[in-house]
């Protein structure tokens, strides 16, 4: 009898028990202790002490390469671990509105309707600015393609469907452009990169403005949808004849060629840090930092660039997390900026940093500012 | 003695939980989909615009894409599955049959995302060239095979779905064929029929409703399949007569947009797509279950005349 | 009327085609398996299995977060799904002979057919929004909902295979019905019950769609049940669609790990069920 009892006991409890062990195992070995394997921080032993604080953020894929680098570095010098999921700016806006994350991230400005839907006031804290590269995959053509705003708009409107169209070849004399069909790749998710891109197209093409418009997700006339900057870059890399738009870091890290665009002053400019930095020069920044930088009048500017923001509630409801968040933001716009240029993101200008400092200082918990500086 | 009162009650509660869960799913989804249901009404099912800017949502392209990819999958998978099931039950020597059966069942255990990654990196390039090249060059006069050949698209999605439902349909058909009483076959063979004629005229007709059930079961799986399809279909919201064109299914649309939808109406519309998908798969599954149940419940060997 | 020769030819052709179908199905499996092994095996080493992901664009790093996450999520699904599924299975086989029983049976079958992405949306609305956070818990709940009907139905089937005489024998000895079921009937059906549980585990371990809006993913490893957590299928998806070749090869490696987990479970199930016969 006891033998049978034992067998039942095993039968019923074995698996949940196993599960419980797994949970315990996961708990004990899963917590990241600041030292990531493969990374050696020589000499510096500022081992964070005390309990670790977890922040969850979600949103823009545009600054994801930068954020994952910054946050990983930050976790080494602080007791804050940031789990950032790059689900797209639309997702960032939505999830911070639903309060399922501690902060959101977007490269598009929230619309009035979106701000109204949020339960409280959300600040747009700029982190960096970057360029949206127009990437392509043409056999035998790894550099040097030039495009104008009209052509880009018509390609994305599907009015121009062959790469060797006379309008493209006339602009690129001496460049051997193959006869591939143009596979127009766009974002399938709600995206700030899309916001910047369609913001630019709406400024330069009346037809685009009327037919499609400017938003984080629009009604695409194009062919193929990819999820995230990652997905678009992935599709462009896979499909011969594809054109897409991704943040510059995704193009350079993956050796995907990108086009030079004719800017407002008539110069052909390739995306770069300098060309992105130039975009913001001569622009009067508003105090709330909600400004689009596309189609800049600066002669050296790349026309499709913009800020990317972290979205945070001005009134925080959790003191510990709120404090961790403002410290993270403060660090990001100062010390954290140095991680931008290696990944081709342009650092914030002195003016931008000053205005952003004021924004971060305005974040409060129970009426008290959270930042103690 | 008290145990005898408590225990059945506890198990009853667990059983009730299953029904409650099902009802809760329908209820919760309907609640959230309500704004979209009220705003678009029946027009939601026939609308072809999906525009988050103007907040106009119609699900027809996604419904169309779901139906086309699923039918394509059936078209490819059903003959293969029935053939393989016949081979397994009627032709293969037992050890071979066991091994193949085992392999086919393993195929069913491979996770969807693995089919997806395989589809993305192996199948899509193969579909682009040679499949789309050959189809486009020789059958290009049909609207089905026109348009740019990107690889990703409805055709790739249909093929990957076919591979995914193959094991399910094969295994179910095999079980159905096994249920056909041997007397039926023996009678046919005794009349001088060849083995194929026996299968074609006696075995398959006898198992017809069960096999139809197996096919519908496969359809149910194909309709709701998400990840592999999302990875190869191209996620473009449009209706195209060409199988080469990128498309969208209900499930793939939810997967790529749900976490990112910004406005309430947008979310509501996506949930309504989920509700439509739920409704269709419930219908299909109920049909399949009824057919398969009836076919396998009839005790094998007993004459059913 | 066909002549004997053509009939015979048709016979061989059609039978040959059937063989061909079986070969095609087998080849598809072998193609997927062998390709995954060929691409995945080079990516797998100790560091890959035991370290956390690196920042985007930097090479190296591993998938320990995803492996632990998947084990945790499946574990959670078991904790929630097994008791309910098993009890419902017992109800169906022992007390569910009447109309309500068939309603439950039918609902379980239908629930099994609900697309997993729909379960994901449902749990997002039910749990994630209410908890105010993506979480390991919500992922486990989503997987449990998928697991429940599988366990209930397989448990029912195997309990039914235990002869009525055994129950009668137990009762005749004066053992209460509940003890008879738990101590005599259930052990007799143990192999089948465990098989069903393992089938359920294998199925949910590979699910991606319901985790997109629940477990959400986490590159830092485990941070508590109320925080997001990574999962193998989720990470495979995110890595596979990315342009980074290092991530793509990691996706293959992770796919191989996942397949190994799932197939080993399935093979164990096969061996268990074979023993029973």
């Amino acid at each position: 009898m006891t033998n049978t009892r034992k067998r039942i006991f095993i039968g019923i409890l074995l698996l949940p028990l196993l599960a419980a062990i797994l949970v315990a195992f996961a708990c004990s070995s899963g917590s990241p202790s600041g030292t990531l394997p493969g990374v050696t921080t020589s000499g510096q032993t500022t081992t964070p002490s005390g309990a670790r604080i977890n922040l969850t953020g979600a949103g823009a894929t545009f600054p994801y390469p930068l954020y994952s680098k910054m946050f990983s570095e930050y976790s080494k010098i602080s007791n804050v671990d940031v789990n950032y999921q790059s689900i797209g700016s639309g997702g960032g806006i939505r999830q911070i509105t639903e309060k399922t994350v501690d902060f959101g991230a977007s490269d598009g400005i929230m619309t009035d309707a979106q701000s109204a839907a949020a339960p409280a006031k959300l600040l747009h804290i700029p982190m960096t600015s970057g360029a949206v590269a127009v990437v392509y995959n043409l056999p035998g053509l790894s550099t040097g393609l030039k495009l104008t705003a009209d052509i880009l708009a018509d390609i994305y409107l599907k009015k121009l469907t062959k790469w060797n169209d006379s309008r493209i070849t006339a602009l690129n004399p001496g460049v051997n452009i193959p006869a591939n069909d143009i596979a127009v790749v766009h974002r399938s998710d709600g995206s700030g990169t899309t916001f910047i891109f369609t913001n630019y197209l709406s400024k330069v093409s009346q037809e685009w403005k009327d037919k499609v418009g400017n938003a984080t997700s629009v009604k695409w006339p194009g062919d193929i949808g990819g999820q995230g900057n990652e997905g678009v870059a992935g599709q462009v890399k896979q499909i011969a004849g594809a054109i897409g738009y991704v943040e510059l870091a995704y193009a350079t890290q993956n050796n995907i060629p990108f086009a030079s665009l004719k800017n407002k002053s008539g110069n052909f400019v390739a995306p770069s840090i300098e060309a992105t930095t130039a975009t913001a020069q001569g622009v009067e920044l508003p105090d709330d930092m909600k400004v689009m930088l596309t189609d800049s009048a600066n002669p050296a500017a790349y026309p499709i660039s913009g800020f990317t923001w972290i979205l945070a509630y001005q009134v925080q409801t959790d003191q510990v997390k709120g404090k961790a968040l403002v410290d993270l933001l403060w660090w990001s716009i100062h010390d954290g900026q140095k991680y931008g240029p290696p990944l081709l993101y342009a650092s914030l200008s002195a003016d931008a940093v000053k205005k952003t400092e004021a924004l971060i200082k305005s974040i409060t918990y129970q009426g008290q500012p959270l930042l103690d500086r | 003695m008290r145990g005898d009162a408590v225990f059945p009650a506890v198990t009853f509660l667990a059983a009730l939980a299953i029904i409650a869960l099902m009802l809760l799913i329908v209820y919760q989804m309907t609640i959230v989909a309500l704004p979209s249901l009220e705003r678009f009404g029946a027009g939601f099912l026939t609308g072809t615009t999906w525009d988050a800017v103007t907040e106009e949502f119609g699900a027809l392209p996604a419904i169309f894409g779901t139906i086309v990819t699923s039918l394509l999958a059936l078209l490819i998978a059903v003959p293969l599955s029935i053939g393989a099931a016949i081979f397994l039950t009627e032709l293969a020597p037992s050890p071979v049959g066991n091994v193949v059966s085992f392999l086919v069942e393993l195929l069913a255990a491979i996770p969807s995302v693995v089919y997806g990654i395989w589809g993305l990196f192996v199948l899509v390039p193969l579909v682009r060239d040679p499949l789309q090249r050959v189809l486009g060059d020789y059958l290009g006069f049909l609207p089905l095979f026109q348009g740019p050949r990107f690889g990703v698209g409805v055709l790739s999605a249909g093929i990957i779905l076919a591979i995914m439902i193959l094991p399910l349909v094969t295994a179910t058909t095999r079980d159905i064929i096994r249920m056909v009483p041997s007397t039926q076959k023996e009678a046919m063979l005794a009349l001088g029929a060849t083995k194929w004629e026996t299968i074609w005229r006696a075995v398959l007709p006898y198992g017809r409703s069960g096999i139809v059930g197996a096919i519908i079961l496969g359809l149910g799986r194909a309709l709701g399949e998400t990840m592999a399809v999302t990875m190869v279909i191209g996620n473009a919201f449009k209706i195209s007569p060409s199988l080469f064109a990128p498309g969208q299914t209900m499930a793939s649309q939810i997967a790529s947009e749900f976490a990112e939808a910004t406005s309430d109406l947008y979310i509501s519309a996506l949930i309504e797509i989920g509700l439509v998908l739920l409704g269709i798969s419930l219908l299909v599954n109920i049909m399949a279950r009824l057919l398969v149940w009836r076919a396998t419940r009839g005790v094998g060997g007993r004459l059913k005349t | 009327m066909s002549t004997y020769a053509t009939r015979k030819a048709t016979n061989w052709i059609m039978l040959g085609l059937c063989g061909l179908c079986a070969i095609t199905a087998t080849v598809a499996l072998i193609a997927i398996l062998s390709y995954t092994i060929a691409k995945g095996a080079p990516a797998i080493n100790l560091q890959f299995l035991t370290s956390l992901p690196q920042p985007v664009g930097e090479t190296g790093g591993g998938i320990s977060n995803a492996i632990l996450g998947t084990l945790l999520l499946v574990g959670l699904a078991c904790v929630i799904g097994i008791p309910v599924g098993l009890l419902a299975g017992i109800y169906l086989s022992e007390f569910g002979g009447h109309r309500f029983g068939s309603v439950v049976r039918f609902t379980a079958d239908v629930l099994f057919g609900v697309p997993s992405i729909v379960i994901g949306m449902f749990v997002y609305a039910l749990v994630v929004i209410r908890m105010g956070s993506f979480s390991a818990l919500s992922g486990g709940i989503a997987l449990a909902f998928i697991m429940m009907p599988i366990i209930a139905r397989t448990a029912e089937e195997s309990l039914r295979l235990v002869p009525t005489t055994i129950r009668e024998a137990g009762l005749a000895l004066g053992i209460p019905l509940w003890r008879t079921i738990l101590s005599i009937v259930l052990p007799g059906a143990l192999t089948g019950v465990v098989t069903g549980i393992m089938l359920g585990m294998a199925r949910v371990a590979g699910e991606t769609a319901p985790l997109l809006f629940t477990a959400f993913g986490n590159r830092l490893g485990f941070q508590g049940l109320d925080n997001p957590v990574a999962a193998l299928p989720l990470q495979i998806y995110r890595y596979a669609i990315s342009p980074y070749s290092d991530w793509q090869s990691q996706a293959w490696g992770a796919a191989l790990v996942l397949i190994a987990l799932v197939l080993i479970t399935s093979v164990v199930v096969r061996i268990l069920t074979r023993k029973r016969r």
Side-chain angles (χ1 to χ4, degrees):
Chain A
M1 192 61 197
T2 45
N3 198 15
T4 330
R5 291 289 297 273
K6 209 184 239 167
R7 269 171 55 203
I8 318 152
F9 184 72
I10 292 168
I12 301 174
L13 289 186
L14 182 75
L15 287 153
L17 209 65
L18 189 78
I21 293 167
L22 288 177
V23 172
F25 176 53
C27 291
S28 64
S29 66
S31 71
S33 53
T35 49
L36 289 171
V39 181
T40 46
T41 42
S42 54
Q44 199 183 12
T45 46
T46 46
T47 2
S49 57
R52 314 245 352 138
I53 301 166
N54 302 320
L55 289 179
T56 301
T61 59
F62 180 92
Y64 182 38
L66 175 63
Y67 285 0
S68 72
K69 179 69 186 167
M70 281 202 316
F71 297 157
S72 142
E73 294 298 326
Y74 189 66
S75 77
K76 291 179 201 161
I77 58 157
S78 70
N79 63 342
V80 177
D81 292 318
V82 185
N83 173 27
Y84 182 77
Q85 291 295 321
S86 63
I87 57 173
S89 296
I93 293 171
R94 154 91 176 286
Q95 302 307 340
I96 189 69
T97 303
E98 304 267 19
K99 290 190 159 181
T100 56
V101 290
D102 301 315
F103 65 88
S106 170
D107 356 284
I109 297 171
M110 287 174 71
T111 63
D112 292 343
Q114 285 164 353
S115 303
K121 189 180 173 195
L122 279 165
L123 296 177
H124 290 57
I125 316 274
M127 288 284 112
T128 187
S129 54
V132 178
V134 174
V135 290
Y136 57 89
N137 176 350
L138 281 173
L141 190 64
S142 59
T143 179
L145 187 73
K146 290 179 188 165
L147 293 174
T148 64
D150 298 348
I151 293 180
L152 190 60
D154 283 352
I155 288 176
Y156 266 85
L157 285 166
K158 287 302 284 174
K159 285 163 70 183
L160 221 161
T161 58
K162 287 275 186 193
W163 275 108
N164 60 350
D165 189 283
S166 59
R167 287 170 64 196
I168 300 178
T169 51
L171 196 65
N172 293 276
V175 181
N176 188 16
I177 298 178
N180 289 55
D181 289 310
I182 304 180
V184 178
V185 184
H186 58 80
R187 289 282 290 272
S188 62
D189 53 335
S191 149
T193 314
T194 297
F195 190 94
I196 297 176
F197 188 70
T198 55
N199 181 270
Y200 171 65
L201 289 180
S202 295
K203 280 183 186 172
V204 296
S205 158
Q206 188 61 41
E207 188 179 356
W208 184 273
K209 194 176 181 182
D210 296 340
K211 277 193 178 161
V212 186
N214 175 203
T216 49
S217 42
V218 296
K219 195 180 127 201
W220 289 104
D223 298 308
I224 295 162
Q227 194 168 14
N229 266 297
E230 300 93 327
V232 171
Q235 297 279 20
V236 170
K237 218 178 165 187
Q238 286 264 318
I239 300 168
I243 189 169
Y245 58 95
V246 294
E247 207 290 325
L248 184 56
Y250 289 90
T252 53
Q253 284 178 342
N254 295 292
N255 299 316
I256 307 174
F258 44 81
S260 300
L261 287 179
K262 192 176 185 175
N263 68 13
K264 209 169 184 174
S265 322
N267 301 327
F268 283 96
V269 179
S272 66
I273 301 183
E274 297 74 34
T276 308
T277 312
T279 331
Q281 282 162 4
V283 177
E284 184 62 33
L285 296 172
D287 286 339
D288 63 2
M289 291 302 285
K290 293 196 222 173
V291 59
M292 293 306 292
L293 302 175
T294 52
D295 202 25
S296 165
N298 189 313
Y302 178 75
I304 324 180
S305 354
F307 281 126
T308 181
W309 296 271
I310 276 184
L311 306 173
Y313 285 106
Q314 187 164 32
V315 176
Q316 292 286 318
T317 49
D318 179 322
Q319 190 174 11
V320 177
K321 284 191 167 186
K323 177 83 180 85
L325 180 61
V326 295
D327 287 342
L328 169 74
L329 293 174
W330 188 269
W331 176 85
S332 299
I333 63 162
H334 295 100
D335 297 353
Q337 289 292 306
K338 65 170 179 276
Y339 298 106
L343 292 166
L344 305 181
Y345 293 90
S347 303
L348 297 174
S349 66
D351 181 34
V353 170
K354 219 174 106 217
K355 292 201 156 110
T356 310
E357 282 178 351
L359 284 177
I360 298 175
K361 282 176 180 163
S362 75
I363 298 176
T364 58
Y365 170 75
Q366 292 187 347
Q368 297 297 313
L370 276 163
L371 196 76
D372 43 15
R373 290 174 210 261
Chain B
M1 273 299 110
R2 200 184 296 153
D4 269 352
V6 174
F7 184 70
V10 171
T11 63
F12 175 77
L13 281 180
L16 201 63
I18 286 188
I19 292 184
L21 177 60
M22 190 68 234
L23 294 177
L24 192 61
I25 291 178
V26 176
Y27 171 78
Q28 176 88 47
M29 304 265 299
T30 314
I31 289 286
V32 188
L34 221 51
S36 167
L37 281 165
E38 281 167 0
R39 171 81 172 268
F40 304 112
F44 186 77
L45 299 177
T46 53
T48 56
T49 309
W50 190 265
D51 189 339
V53 182
T54 57
E55 298 214 314
E56 198 186 332
F57 300 106
L60 191 62
I63 297 172
F64 175 82
T66 307
I67 292 172
V68 171
T69 49
S70 301
L71 288 184
L72 189 61
L74 287 185
L75 203 66
I76 300 167
V78 165
L80 279 177
S81 304
I82 295 181
I86 292 173
F87 175 83
L88 290 177
T89 47
E90 305 291 323
L91 303 176
S94 172
V96 178
N98 279 341
V99 170
V100 176
S101 260
F102 180 59
L103 285 176
V104 169
E105 273 167 36
L106 283 193
L107 202 55
I110 294 180
S112 157
V113 70
V114 176
Y115 283 100
I117 183 173
W118 184 82
L120 189 60
F121 292 108
V122 183
L123 182 69
V124 166
L126 284 177
V127 166
R128 191 182 310 142
D129 189 18
L131 189 58
Q132 288 186 337
R133 181 168 53 82
V134 171
L135 286 174
D137 287 354
Y138 294 101
L139 297 169
F141 55 89
L142 293 172
L144 279 180
F145 305 115
Q146 283 167 2
R149 297 159 198 176
F150 300 141
V152 294
V154 173
L155 185 60
S156 293
I159 295 174
I160 202 84
L161 279 178
I163 300 176
M164 297 181 75
I165 63 172
L166 191 72
L168 178 66
V169 182
T170 306
T172 321
T173 310
R174 180 198 60 196
D175 294 345
I176 303 271
I177 293 181
R178 279 202 185 135
M179 290 288 173
V180 175
S182 52
T183 47
Q184 297 278 323
K185 289 183 256 180
E186 283 153 11
M188 196 74 186
L189 287 170
L191 289 172
T194 62
K195 187 139 197 174
W196 171 252
E197 285 161 347
T198 311
I199 293 166
W200 189 246
R201 304 243 174 102
V203 177
L204 293 184
Y206 192 92
R208 194 191 300 126
S209 70
I211 294 173
V212 171
I215 294 170
I216 299 179
L217 218 52
L219 178 66
R221 171 95 200 262
L223 289 171
E225 183 45 53
T226 313
M227 297 323 291
V229 174
T230 309
M231 289 164 88
V232 302
I233 199 170
N235 301 308
F237 197 77
K238 58 180 69 167
I239 295 179
S240 164
S242 172
L243 294 181
F244 291 4
Q248 186 80 289
T249 68
M250 291 187 264
S252 74
Q253 180 151 25
I254 297 167
S256 45
E257 295 178 20
F258 184 64
E260 287 89 50
T262 39
S263 74
D264 284 345
L265 192 63
Y266 191 177
I267 299 162
S268 182
L270 282 169
I271 299 245
E272 192 178 344
I273 287 196
L275 208 55
V276 174
L277 178 61
L278 180 66
I280 296 180
S281 21
L282 289 190
L283 214 67
V284 164
N285 273 293
I286 289 172
M287 237 153 66
R289 291 291 164 193
L290 289 177
L291 287 168
V292 175
W293 268 16
R294 208 167 27 167
T296 46
R297 280 270 167 94
V299 182
R302 196 174 296 158
L303 280 176
K304 256 185 157 183
T305 42
Chain C
M1 262 329 251
S2 18
T3 66
Y4 182 64
T6 49
R7 280 177 59 207
K8 195 143 188 183
T10 317
N11 181 42
W12 287 118
I13 290 168
M14 294 316 289
L15 294 185
L17 282 178
C18 289
L20 207 63
C21 291
I23 291 171
T24 314
T26 325
V27 163
L29 172 84
I30 292 169
I32 292 175
L33 272 189
S34 58
Y35 205 86
T36 310
I37 292 170
K39 293 284 264 184
I44 295 181
N45 52 45
L46 195 63
Q47 191 221 345
F48 178 70
L49 296 176
T50 55
S51 56
L52 291 169
Q54 290 283 15
V56 187
E58 291 181 16
T59 52
I63 55 163
S64 68
N65 60 332
I67 296 177
L68 285 174
T70 286
L71 294 178
L72 172 75
L73 288 169
V74 173
L76 280 173
C78 287
V79 171
I80 305 164
I82 291 177
V84 180
L86 194 54
L87 287 172
I90 292 175
Y91 176 82
L92 286 177
S93 91
E94 307 300 318
F95 312 109
H98 39 81
R99 198 170 184 85
F100 183 71
S102 24
V103 173
V104 174
R105 206 166 288 127
F106 194 74
T107 314
D109 278 357
V110 170
L111 191 60
F112 176 72
V114 172
S116 57
I117 185 111
V118 171
I119 303 269
M121 292 173 107
F122 166 66
V123 174
Y124 177 85
L126 188 76
V127 183
V128 176
I129 296 268
R130 279 185 199 153
M131 264 179 67
S133 150
F134 293 100
S135 61
L137 189 63
S138 60
I141 291 175
L143 295 188
F145 287 167
I146 295 172
M147 210 172 181
M148 264 178 217
I150 305 178
I151 295 178
R153 293 289 277 127
T154 43
E156 184 206 351
E157 299 287 336
S158 30
L159 286 169
R160 281 180 171 225
L161 291 179
V162 178
T164 322
T165 44
I166 300 234
R167 293 180 181 83
E168 286 163 359
L171 291 174
L173 288 171
I175 306 172
L177 181 60
W178 68 280
R179 288 277 300 268
T180 309
I181 292 170
L182 282 183
S183 327
I184 302 174
V185 181
L186 194 56
L190 203 59
T191 342
V193 171
V194 172
T195 303
I197 290 172
M198 295 186 75
L199 273 180
M201 286 169 70
R203 158 96 195 260
V204 299
E207 282 290 349
T208 318
L211 300 181
L212 286 171
F213 329 125
T214 54
F216 203 49
N218 189 337
R219 295 172 68 78
L220 303 172
F222 178 74
Q223 297 180 310
L225 288 182
D226 53 346
N227 266 298
V229 75
L232 274 171
L234 214 52
Q235 200 140 329
I236 295 170
Y237 172 63
R238 300 243 160 94
Y239 279 12
I241 62 167
S242 86
Y244 301 98
S245 36
D246 189 48
W247 276 15
Q248 289 174 359
S249 62
Q250 289 200 18
W252 283 109
L256 184 54
V257 172
L258 180 62
I259 285 199
L261 282 178
V262 170
L263 289 196
I264 288 170
T265 316
S266 307
V267 171
V268 170
V269 167
R270 285 286 293 201
I271 293 167
L272 280 177
T273 45
R274 185 157 309 156
K275 250 186 208 161
R276 192 175 48 164
R277 273 167 199 162

